[in-house]
Each structure stands twice: as C-alpha cells, then as structure tokens.
Amino acid sequence: MSTSLSREFEPYVPQLLLDWPESVKYRRLDGSLVHVDISGFTAMSERLARKGKVGAEEVSMVLNNTFTELLTIAGELGGDLLKFGGDALLLLFKDDGHAVRAVRASALMRSRLRSIGKVQTPAGRVDLKMTVGVHSGELDAFLVGASHRELIMVGPGATKTVEVEEGADAGEILLSPETAAKLPAGLLGEPKGPGVLLARTPSVGDYKPPIIFCTAECRGLVPAALRPVIESPTDGEHRRITVGFIKFTGIDEMLASEDPDDIAERFDRLISLTQSAVEEFGVSFLSTDIDGDGGKIIVAGGVPTSTGADEEGVLLTLRRIAEQFRGIDLKIGVNRGPAFAGDIGASFRRTYTVIGDALN
C-alpha cells in the first residue's frame, strides 16, 4: 500500500495507534480520559429526516461544524480522540500535566458549545448540550483483531470515566476523585455522586502537542466495510438500519486477577470472530465503545451499503458469536429502525458514524 493511501486513512485513526508497535496487543497507559456526551443530535436528526436529502445535508453540516470546533480545542491541549460514540467523544490526554489539560479542554469545549449550540435548522431550533466526565490514572488499552486492528479501552479507569460522565447533568463537568486531587482546591465545586464538580477553568502553561504520523499501515486500523466510504466519500443520509450490540462485561475483575496478555488473546478471538462473521453475512463492523466494567462492539446491516437481507445478516452474525465464543461474558441485543449515517468530523479527525434512537 502506498504512503499516500495510508495517509488518506490517517484522520480516521487515533494518534495513540499511529506509532503502536505491530506485535503489541496490550498497553497500560498513564493519562486522563474525557468522556463527552452531546445531547440534541438525535432529536435534530429525526426532525430533519422528514426533509429528505436537504435534511441529511443539514445534519452533516451541524455535526461537522460542531465536532470541528470541539476537536480543535481538545487537540490544541493534546486531546487525542479515541472514539466517536455517535453523539459522544472519548478523548485521551497523556504526558506531563495531562489532568489539568484534560479539565481545561473540557471547560473550553463546554463554553464553546454554549456559544454555537443553539442551531437554527429547516426543522426548527436545536439546543445542543454536553455532559462531561474526566478521570485520571492508569488506563488499559488493547489493540486486537484480524481484518483490522481495533482499539478497546476497558478496565477500572474506563469504568470510572463512564461513572462520572453518567453522574453529571447537562452542562456539568464531573471529575473523578483522582482527577480532582491533581487540581488546585480553588477550582473545585461541590461533591456530586461519584465525583466532584468543576467550578472554575484551570490555566495551563505553553503546550505544543506532538505531531505523529503513521509508522505502519493506517488502512489496517479502519474496519474493512468502512474503507470504501473513506476512499470514495458519499453524502450522509437517513436510512433504516439493523444494529447489533455485543456487550462484554466482567473485565475489571479479570484485569485484577489475570495476565493482561491472556485477556488480550481472548479479545483478539472475539474481535476476529466478529470480523469474520460480518464479512460472511454482509454486515458492517462499525466500532467499539467503552462501558462500565467492559465495553461493546457495534455491528450494523444497511450501512454503509445494504445487501437487501440486513436483518438476517445481523441475526446470523450475532448467533455465530453467541455460539462460538467463550472466555468473556457477553450480552447481545439487536434492534431495527431509522438512523442518520455519514462520514463526519473535522478534516484532521473523522469517522463514519450512525446516530439515532435505533441505537439508543
């Protein structure tokens, strides 16, 4: 594969993976995770679906503009986007001062969304709001799979990040006790649930984020079904999809009592089995995402293309995984409904994503 084609896929890959050693499946990192959940996109997408192609173009424009603004702020402070979760962002901050930079980026993103989040659309005004959770400490990362190498963020650090984000209300930034301990007390607000509210925006000294380019083949870090969309971009659209979630649980205890390399081999089998099943049954491997005490794999039929047998393909895929995989506890669900699907984000960091109540 040529270097130019590899660079074409670079905006679709987290910086963390650009220099990840080929043979390594597990790494323990020191850093801060920021989980940003933006409300309002799903309602906007559903209202604009009635406007046909014009509505889909409007959704794409709002998503692109919003994510460009937020990711620019995060990137200037060293924030590496690990996951687009439809209408959520998972950012990693590493190196010295990562906690303060993560919290400052969260506050500046919240402030920016307050400025740009009242969006006038052909279907009326949409108010975008965010909840944010921040956790600092040791983080567990796996990079596994066959047809592509998939990043999986799990472990107690990911669990705490999910907990503090879920404990925040709209407009709030909730810090884990570990993150709060790294900030001056004068910046902190009241305790709330599993964390402490941020009251004031921290300042940071001069910071220049490192620039990293692919040292391996970036194409192999993107799900196979999504590569044609990147190579030949198409407009976002509203369509009916069938979506399956494979949730894996019990990972925190496994990491406390077992060899991470053994867990990596199990994740490798799970992701590789999922990849082979989606390829056989005409389904797309969309992504993975974090969750409390584990995470989830998201597969879908009908995006980015349809076989005409999308429901059957997803059901056969999920059945294959349920019957053949052992070693990690799984919970599996499936649903069908309307959604917006498209290639969205900033020019420097993008993803093909699906948004809608069908996923919720």
Side-chain angles (χ1 to χ4, degrees):
M1 190 65 60
S2 69
T3 302
S4 61
L5 186 54
S6 176
R7 295 293 297 276
E8 182 180 9
F9 286 86
E10 206 166 77
Y12 297 82
V13 177
Q15 289 273 305
L16 177 65
L17 306 190
L18 296 185
D19 59 354
W20 187 300
E22 182 91 25
S23 60
V24 173
K25 295 181 180 178
Y26 169 77
R27 291 171 67 183
R28 177 158 285 175
L29 312 169
D30 177 64
S32 293
L33 281 180
V34 175
H35 193 206
V36 180
D37 189 23
I38 303 174
S39 62
F41 283 143
T42 296
M44 175 189 71
S45 175
E46 291 176 346
R47 283 155 56 181
L48 287 169
R50 296 188 286 270
K51 301 291 184 178
K53 183 178 180 180
V54 172
E57 291 173 349
E58 186 75 15
V59 174
S60 294
M61 183 182 70
V62 173
L63 289 170
N64 288 332
N65 291 344
T66 302
F67 286 134
T68 296
E69 295 276 354
L70 300 183
L71 293 176
T72 297
I73 291 170
E76 289 175 349
L77 289 162
D80 178 13
L81 181 65
L82 300 183
K83 300 288 179 183
F84 273 100
D87 47 11
L89 305 173
L90 181 67
L91 296 151
L92 171 67
F93 294 76
K94 296 192 304 174
D95 303 324
D96 293 344
H98 56 74
V100 177
R101 286 186 283 108
V103 173
R104 179 169 176 80
S106 300
L108 294 181
M109 286 190 291
R110 177 179 63 179
S111 177
R112 187 60 182 148
L113 190 66
R114 286 172 175 167
S115 298
I116 66 171
K118 299 185 187 305
V119 183
Q120 292 292 342
T121 76
R125 196 177 89 167
V126 174
D127 292 332
L128 302 177
K129 299 179 180 179
M130 66 163 59
T131 58
V132 183
V134 188
H135 170 70
S136 307
E138 289 189 337
L139 307 169
D140 298 282
F142 294 84
L143 189 62
V144 293
S147 63
H148 81 278
R149 301 174 77 202
E150 177 70 18
L151 174 65
I152 299 176
M153 297 298 299
V154 288
T159 296
K160 288 186 178 181
T161 306
V162 171
E163 288 174 351
V164 288
E165 188 280 317
E166 290 179 345
D169 291 323
E172 293 181 340
I173 299 171
L174 193 61
L175 314 176
S176 74
E178 292 82 355
T179 299
K182 294 180 180 295
L183 299 178
L187 301 178
L188 304 178
E190 296 296 319
K192 180 176 182 180
V196 180
L197 290 168
L198 179 69
R200 297 176 182 83
T201 303
S203 59
V204 299
D206 292 338
Y207 179 78
K208 184 175 291 187
I211 299 174
I212 305 173
F213 299 106
C214 273
T215 58
E217 181 48 67
C218 277
R219 192 173 191 271
L221 298 168
V222 175
L226 306 185
R227 294 171 193 164
V229 180
I230 298 171
E231 293 168 332
S232 301
T234 58
D235 295 333
E237 57 185 335
H238 289 95
R239 58 197 306 168
R240 293 192 68 81
I241 68 167
T242 304
V243 61
F245 287 85
I246 303 117
K247 182 176 180 179
F248 40 89
T249 61
I251 308 302
D252 292 359
E253 183 179 342
M254 290 172 61
L255 282 165
S257 60
E258 301 182 32
D259 185 340
D261 290 334
D262 292 338
I263 300 170
E265 293 304 320
R266 280 180 249 178
F267 273 131
D268 193 55
R269 294 201 311 272
L270 174 60
I271 296 298
S272 297
L273 174 61
T274 304
Q275 291 168 335
S276 65
V278 297
E279 181 178 352
E280 179 176 349
F281 298 120
V283 174
S284 297
F285 187 119
L286 289 183
S287 63
T288 59
D289 204 359
I290 64 169
D291 207 341
D293 194 21
K296 52 198 171 189
I297 306 168
I298 306 165
V299 301
V303 287
T305 59
S306 174
T307 65
D310 302 321
E311 290 182 356
E312 180 181 9
V314 172
L315 291 171
L316 289 170
T317 295
L318 300 179
R319 181 175 177 177
R320 171 73 56 81
I321 295 164
E323 289 178 343
Q324 295 191 3
F325 181 76
R326 298 293 182 271
I328 299 174
D329 291 338
L330 301 181
K331 298 179 180 180
I332 298 176
V334 62
N335 189 36
R336 181 168 173 80
F340 169 84
D343 178 23
I344 58 96
S347 61
F348 54 88
R349 188 67 176 91
R350 303 187 63 77
T351 193
Y352 184 89
T353 195
V354 179
I355 295 174
D357 267 344
L359 282 82
N360 297 338

